[in-house]
Amino acid sequence: MPLAISLHLLAAVIWVGGMFFAYQCLRPVAAKVLEPPQRLTLWCQLFSRFFVWVWGAIVTLLLTGHWMIGLMGGMTAVGMHVHVMLATGYLMVALFLHLYFAPFQRLKKAVGASDWQQAGVQLNQIRRFVGINLLLGLITVVNAVAGRMLYA
């Protein structure tokens, strides 16, 4: 259990923390100081690197989450907070999969073609999905830490 929970926590910190940094810190500064070609190229390159980590985090979270549920005796033995965490986690994965395979792919194509208007449209879609996933991630973290007390 200590290994599973440590890996689970590290993966969550990487994914949710990365979204927080990108959304709350980098996004406003990049919008303020960079012209669209540089800003959109930056985001395209940044996402290309960050999403490798997100894929790893997703695999780690799913494997360790189900591993810990098994160690605790299965879904019938875990509390409501684990069920909520599982539901929000799978929703986050689904939103990421859409973000990755739709607007992110279109962003890369638009940046590659120097179509800054289309790249901006795609970046705005990604921003919305990241914002939703960030909110879900923060809710999931609070649920993971305080859920036993919330649902008692």
Side-chain angles (χ1 to χ4, degrees):
M1 185 64 88
L3 176 62
I5 202 162
S6 295
L7 292 173
H8 198 79
L9 179 61
L10 288 172
V13 166
I14 288 168
W15 190 7
V16 177
M19 288 189 296
F20 184 88
F21 170 76
Y23 196 86
Q24 296 294 352
C25 301
L26 181 59
R27 183 180 63 87
V29 173
K32 187 175 183 178
V33 302
L34 297 175
E35 294 298 320
Q38 292 81 26
R39 182 174 65 246
L40 293 160
T41 302
L42 169 75
W43 281 111
C44 190
Q45 294 297 314
L46 176 88
F47 289 141
S48 292
R49 291 183 63 97
F50 178 57
F51 289 165
V52 170
W53 288 95
V54 173
W55 281 110
I58 287 170
V59 169
T60 302
L61 287 163
L62 294 176
L63 290 176
T64 57
H66 286 283
W67 180 19
M68 289 186 289
I69 289 168
L71 290 173
M72 290 184 265
M75 290 299 289
T76 58
V78 297
M80 176 59 80
H81 68 291
V82 176
H83 293 266
V84 171
M85 193 181 338
L86 199 58
T88 56
Y90 273 111
L91 180 56
M92 289 176 67
V93 170
L95 291 171
F96 173 75
L97 290 172
H98 174 73
L99 177 159
Y100 184 85
F101 288 110
F104 177 56
Q105 299 306 316
R106 293 189 298 260
L107 172 67
K108 290 193 304 185
K109 184 177 178 182
V111 168
S114 299
D115 184 349
W116 307 120
Q117 182 177 359
Q118 182 59 24
V121 168
Q122 299 310 313
L123 183 60
N124 194 45
Q125 285 188 357
I126 292 170
R127 178 192 59 80
R128 288 184 187 129
F129 281 105
V130 170
I132 294 166
N133 251 2
L134 174 57
L135 180 60
L136 285 169
L138 293 172
I139 289 168
T140 304
V141 168
V142 169
N143 178 71
V145 173
R148 283 190 183 122
M149 294 169 270
L150 292 172
Y151 304 109

